[in-house]
Amino acid sequence: MSSESGSVLARLLPVAGTAYLVWLATQPPPARWVGLGCLAILVPFVGGWLLGNVAGIGPWAPDKAE
């Protein structure tokens, strides 16, 4: 397996996991409560990751070598 395919897998795994939790949150209880609980914990991290990668703010911002 090349390093490129590992990178693609590393990028798709969080997206697939989040999609699974959203799907789980749409199911009848008790699966709904598990999905919502996990999303409540995950959403702040996703928000921070998005701010870092899109706006360049915070610990997930890409390093700018000068």
Side-chain angles (χ1 to χ4, degrees), residues 29-63:
R32 176 177 297 155
W33 306 123
V34 172
L36 289 174
C38 291
L39 283 172
I41 294 169
L42 186 68
V43 165
F45 290 105
V46 171
W49 182 84
L50 282 173
L51 280 175
N53 284 295
V54 174
I57 301 169
W60 283 288
D63 293 334

Side-chain angles (χ1 to χ4, degrees), residues 6-7 15-18 26 30 33 38 41 48 55:
S7 176
V15 174
T18 304
T26 63
W33 306 123
C38 291
I41 294 169

